[in-house]
Amino acid sequence: MGRYFGTNGIREVVGDSLTARFVTDMVGAIGEVVGDGRPIAVAWDGRTSSPAFARIASGTLSLGGFEVQELGVMPTPCAQYNVPRVGASCGVIITASHNPPEFNGIKGIADDGLEFTPQTEEAVEKAFAEGKARRVAYDRVGGIRPEEGSIERYLAGVRAQVDGESIRRRALRVVMDCGNGASAVSGPALLGQFGLRYVSINGNLDGRFPGRPSEPTEANLKDLLASVPAYHADLGVAHDGDADRAVFVDEKGRFIPGEKVLTLLAREEVRAAGGGTVVTPVTSSQSVEDVIAPLGGKVHYTRVGSPVVARAMAETKAVFGGEENGGCLFPRHQCARDGAMTLAKVLELLSKTGKPLSQLLEELPPYFLIKRKVECPIALRQQVLAEVPSLLDAGKDASTRVITLDGVKVVTPRGWVLVRPSGTEPIYRVFVEAKDRAAAEQLANTTLEKVEGLIRKLQGTRAEA
Ligand code: MG
């Protein structure tokens, strides 16, 4: 049976593997597995093919006898927020997040607003493989109706989580880069509702992503980095294509690594709750543990992938969760990565402290996180993983901690190393963190040499055999 759902939904190339038939069959399978007597919500992002695929999804479900609530074009977290609030049995959002424009995809949302569980995804894939989908006679066809006010409901939910009066008083200036993605329909509106002056760049919805690539990396945000000091703004914010992530630029026009914002917000949430659990993948910075421990907080590590983080947060009743790529989850709002909520919390923090963003970041423990990758044939993946602990001298002394939730992470008092296979590509990712740049780079170089040497040795052994 084929696997279609990756760590974050289905992503395929439009007109190639992603066709009208594929969407009909997959959405039909979703209705078959998850649908019950309740309506099903359909939402979509701003990609060129999204309106078409969304209509195919709605039509398929309607012909399967389901009532369809069309939520409209919106960020993924907005759809997740609305699914439980409109009483749907599930939601289908047509999106490929930050992927290049030739991609589109399907993401399933459960009735609690969280992503489908891996079990649900497998059941859907099985139904898809078997060609299962409900079909009904003319007198049981479901209605399709637009659900008005979904974006305003979501933005009101975001505003309810922060001190709007304090944000209004501080009157920060913001440059927002929507990257022509789905946040164009909600992000600038939120800033306006807070009474803030803002400059919007790439703020028109355009599925060709003419302004910049959809992934909000430092290299892709040159216009934003230049705009923040040029407009004398207090901060810049950029979202990915479906706005479940937010990344920030300080008032000096410097890109802020996601793990810094994660650490800052983890500290605030733990402080506000008087302790509690923070859920984050094994790829996250040690600084999260360092800043929340004195406040009575503890870290619960998970495998990589925001649906995993979201489920673990619900199970551990966490006060906060997030990833180092700018995806933060605030459970009092919803257990979903949420770019607008993350922005609102950063605005609130700046407003309440009165400090510039650069200063708040300087107060954090100094850590340097380096990410590299090594090519590794899929056939060697398991053998490499088996050898990594001894390669990294894991367990050599008592001060070393080994975490094997996802790849192998070796934590020492001087820093940590994580070696994990990519879920989708024939590569190993190597993450290294240390207290200064030189130490991190040295550790990264020696780890890369060791892993590359191991792969060469295993390839040689295979060639001989
Ligand atoms: Mg995304």
Side-chain angles (χ1 to χ4, degrees):
M1 191 180 79
R3 292 293 335 246
Y4 296 95
F5 287 93
T7 48
N8 228 314
I10 296 169
R11 310 242 174 108
E12 304 282 345
V13 173
V14 177
D16 180 28
S17 46
L18 192 63
T19 60
R21 157 147 298 177
F22 178 90
V23 173
T24 302
D25 292 349
M26 190 58 77
V27 172
I30 289 174
E32 175 74 22
V33 171
V34 193
D36 54 24
R38 293 173 288 171
I40 295 180
V42 174
W44 57 97
D45 71 10
R47 285 170 188 270
T48 56
S49 59
S50 292
F53 285 136
R55 285 179 171 94
I56 289 167
S58 296
T60 301
L61 293 166
S62 158
L63 295 170
F66 298 102
E67 291 295 317
V68 177
Q69 291 165 312
E70 289 198 321
L71 301 178
V73 182
M74 59 181 56
T76 296
C78 179
Q80 291 186 262
Y81 188 81
N82 275 285
V83 165
R85 286 166 179 83
V86 300
S89 63
C90 67
V92 172
I93 179 161
I94 304 296
T95 181
S97 181
H98 61 270
N99 279 41
E102 62 270 26
F103 282 82
N104 209 337
I106 304 171
K107 191 163 162 160
I109 304 169
D111 65 354
D112 56 4
L114 274 67
E115 287 92 348
F116 281 174
T117 61
Q119 293 77 12
T120 302
E121 289 178 348
E122 276 174 35
V124 169
E125 284 164 345
K126 184 163 180 285
F128 173 84
E130 293 166 357
K132 281 191 183 162
R134 267 173 52 175
R135 269 185 235 146
V136 299
Y138 81 97
D139 54 350
R140 289 178 51 220
V141 167
I144 301 177
R145 62 183 176 81
E147 175 72 30
E148 305 290 343
S150 304
I151 293 171
E152 184 38 47
R153 182 187 293 118
Y154 165 67
L155 293 180
V158 169
R159 293 197 306 274
Q161 296 295 327
V162 292
D163 180 352
E165 195 41 51
S166 147
I167 294 174
R168 189 177 297 274
R169 265 202 312 274
R170 176 81 200 278
L172 296 158
R173 273 175 188 244
V174 184
V175 183
M176 172 174 276
D177 180 354
C178 297
N180 308 108
S183 59
V185 304
S186 53
L190 180 66
L191 294 174
Q193 288 165 1
F194 282 131
L196 301 183
R197 291 176 67 193
Y198 63 88
V199 173
S200 169
I201 61 176
N202 305 318
N204 57 317
L205 201 63
D206 189 331
R208 291 172 181 84
F209 304 133
R212 64 161 167 91
S214 193
E215 167 109 75
T217 58
E218 182 170 6
N220 291 342
L221 297 179
K222 293 210 170 67
D223 290 345
L224 180 64
L225 296 174
S227 297
V228 172
Y231 287 109
H232 305 290
D234 297 288
L235 78 157
V237 58
H239 294 295
D240 70 320
D242 66 340
D244 54 353
R245 293 194 276 145
V247 302
F248 296 88
V249 172
D250 75 9
E251 76 284 0
K252 295 174 181 166
R254 293 179 304 193
F255 180 84
I256 302 168
E259 71 268 12
K260 300 273 181 197
V261 175
L262 178 72
T263 305
L264 211 51
L265 294 175
R267 186 186 68 192
E268 292 313 301
E269 294 304 301
V270 168
R271 184 180 282 154
T277 300
V278 169
V279 177
T280 195
V282 288
T283 44
S284 282
S285 171
Q286 176 68 26
S287 60
V288 178
E289 268 189 52
D290 287 8
V291 303
I292 69 168
L295 301 169
K298 66 176 200 307
V299 171
H300 175 95
Y301 287 108
T302 66
R303 296 173 63 83
V304 171
S306 67
V308 185
V309 173
R311 289 276 160 207
M313 286 175 68
E315 282 160 23
T316 60
K317 301 202 171 11
V319 296
F320 177 70
E323 303 168 303
E324 40 66 44
N325 63 6
C328 295
L329 302 86
F330 300 85
R332 281 199 303 143
H333 172 58
Q334 63 172 341
C335 277
R337 289 199 302 198
D338 195 318
M341 191 66 248
T342 305
L343 168 60
K345 287 285 186 176
V346 168
L347 293 173
E348 184 184 49
L349 178 62
L350 289 171
S351 302
K352 284 189 159 172
T353 59
K355 293 177 183 174
L357 191 48
S358 60
Q359 190 186 336
L360 286 169
L361 295 163
E362 277 158 20
E363 292 167 4
L364 293 177
Y367 276 106
F368 287 87
L369 185 59
I370 295 180
K371 304 171 201 176
R372 301 261 175 86
K373 58 186 176 186
V374 185
E375 285 184 29
C376 172
I378 303 265
L380 291 179
R381 176 174 283 182
Q382 287 311 320
Q383 275 175 285
V384 172
L385 200 59
E387 302 247 1
V388 165
S390 60
L391 196 71
L392 301 180
D393 296 330
K396 203 175 69 175
D397 59 72
S399 65
T400 307
R401 193 156 50 115
V402 182
I403 302 172
T404 54
L405 282 169
D406 196 348
V408 179
K409 183 175 184 176
V410 180
V411 187
T412 74
R414 298 171 304 283
W416 58 264
V417 175
L418 168 70
V419 179
R420 65 175 285 270
S422 158
T424 49
E425 297 168 77
I427 55 169
Y428 260 83
R429 293 189 193 281
V430 174
F431 293 72
V432 165
E433 191 180 57
K435 297 230 172 188
D436 64 73
R437 186 188 293 269
E441 272 170 8
Q442 198 194 351
L443 195 53
N445 290 340
T446 53
T447 307
L448 276 178
E449 276 169 26
K450 284 182 186 175
V451 176
E452 281 166 352
L454 171 65
I455 293 170
R456 272 198 306 273
K457 193 183 90 184
L458 290 172
Q459 272 172 325
T461 315
R462 273 174 79 87
E464 281 166 29

